[in-house]
């Protein structure tokens, strides 16, 4: 009889499928927001303390000044920090953002983006993460964020 891990969080299961695969990007289609942002998990570091996600947000997220709405930018950063935390914590453990600070460095026009999430510290009840959002055409830094996540 074999025991398989208890993936109570489908996002954590997706990360482990990526790690077991050949390194090809995996679409993150587990919820409507990730589908609308066209998220793909593209990289997980060997220590699981760094992770990359690519996005190509729908026109739905473009505001009147022809740039991405700040909430969409924040969501991309939040995805990166939550996913790197899920990669770091034991299977069956979940996380939730309890605090997040975002710095918007320049306008984000419609296009393809890459979020890089990294763990600063991961304890038993809290994790501290940060993320950078870059435009894929030229690696221009658009926004940064840091967050505290509760582990349960």
């Amino acid at each position: 009889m074999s025991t398989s891990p208890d993936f109570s969080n489908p996002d954590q299961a997706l990360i482990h499928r990526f790690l077991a695969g050949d390194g090809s990007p995996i679409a993150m289609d587990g919820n409507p927001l990730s589908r609308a942002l066209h998220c793909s998990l593209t990289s997980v570091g060997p220590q699981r303390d760094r992770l990359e996600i690519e996005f190509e947000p729908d026109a739905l997220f473009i505001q009147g000044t022809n740039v991405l709405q700040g909430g969409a930018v924040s969501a991309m950063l939040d995805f990166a920090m939550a996913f790197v935390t899920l990669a770091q914590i034991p299977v069956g453990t979940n996380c939730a953002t309890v605090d997040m600070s975002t710095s918007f460095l320049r306008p984000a026009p419609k296009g393809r983006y890459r979020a890089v999430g990294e763990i600063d510290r991961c304890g038993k009840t809290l994790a501290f993460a940060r993320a950078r959002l870059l435009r894929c055409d030229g690696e221009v830094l658009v926004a940064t964020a840091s967050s505290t996540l509760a582990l349960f």
Side-chain angles (χ1 to χ4, degrees), residues 6 8 26 31-32 34 39 45 52 54 59 63 68 74 79 85 92 96 98 104 116 118 129 138 140 142-143 146 150:
D6 171 28
S8 57
I26 294 182
N31 65 63
S34 63
C39 304
E52 295 184 15
E54 288 194 5
Q63 64 178 357
L68 290 173
S74 293
F79 269 120
T85 301
V98 295
F104 300 95
V116 179
E118 296 177 288
V140 175
V142 172
S146 61

Side-chain angles (χ1 to χ4, degrees), residues 5-81:
D6 171 28
F7 289 110
S8 57
N9 184 322
D11 293 332
Q12 194 176 45
L14 183 135
I15 294 164
H16 284 266
R17 276 198 316 277
F18 179 86
L19 290 167
D22 63 4
S24 297
I26 294 182
M28 295 166 46
D29 56 4
N31 65 63
L33 182 57
S34 63
R35 287 191 297 274
L37 290 170
H38 297 280
C39 304
S40 293
L41 178 59
T42 59
S43 172
V44 177
Q47 302 301 317
R48 299 184 187 180
D49 58 352
R50 186 177 190 280
L51 177 142
E52 295 184 15
I53 301 171
E54 288 194 5
F55 304 86
E56 193 157 359
D58 280 343
L60 163 75
F61 298 105
I62 301 295
Q63 64 178 357
T65 58
N66 211 27
V67 295
L68 290 173
Q69 193 270 343
V73 170
S74 293
M76 291 187 277
L77 292 162
D78 190 39
F79 269 120
M81 293 182 289

